[in-house]
Amino acid sequence: MIQKLKERWNITSHLQLVLVLLTFSVTGTSTLIVRKFIFQFIGITSETDLWIKVFLYILIIFPVYQGLFLLIGALFGQFRFAWEFEKKMFTRFRFKKFQNKQ
């Protein structure tokens, strides 16, 4: 499994793999902390409708995660990996219908 991840992500060493996995875990944890502050700031509480929370989570927190991923990746010396990962992810978001026309 480790070898497959290294090949898939074009990682050369076990240390780099550990740093990349650490980047993912720290980014996820940081996003939860940031979400708490953002939701408190805009007044979202536990009584707020679930659909509103989900909508705001996608609208606000998703881009925050992407920014934190790049920042934390840079702090761990993995900015190049994070940048390439982000570019690949955003190209996958395009609809197949529109990709064929270009």
Side-chain angles (χ1 to χ4, degrees):
M1 182 173 97
I2 291 173
Q3 192 60 33
K4 284 185 181 182
L5 275 179
K6 286 173 65 176
E7 290 172 9
R8 182 177 182 178
W9 289 341
N10 198 21
I11 293 176
T12 56
S13 70
H14 291 303
L15 176 61
Q16 186 181 8
L17 179 64
V18 168
L19 291 172
V20 165
L21 293 174
L22 192 58
T23 300
F24 278 112
S25 62
V26 170
T27 302
T29 303
S30 301
T31 302
L32 291 175
I33 294 168
V34 170
R35 180 201 58 86
K36 179 181 174 183
F37 289 116
I38 291 174
F39 277 21
Q40 283 178 350
F41 180 74
I42 60 177
I44 302 298
T45 64
S46 59
E47 289 83 33
T48 305
D49 188 32
L50 177 64
W51 295 107
I52 293 172
K53 288 181 189 178
V54 170
F55 176 74
L56 290 175
Y57 197 88
I58 293 169
L59 185 68
I60 297 170
I61 304 304
F62 181 74
V64 168
Y65 177 88
Q66 306 312 315
L68 283 174
F69 184 62
L70 291 173
L71 177 68
I72 293 169
L75 291 175
F76 284 120
Q78 299 302 312
F79 181 79
R80 175 166 283 171
F81 170 82
W83 182 249
E84 293 301 321
F85 191 86
E86 292 279 325
K87 288 192 306 188
K88 187 185 291 187
M89 184 186 64
F90 279 114
T91 58
R92 288 180 181 167
F93 282 157
R94 291 185 186 173
F95 296 103
K96 301 260 184 210
K97 179 177 167 182
F98 296 117
Q99 283 182 334
N100 292 337
K101 290 184 179 180
Q102 295 177 354

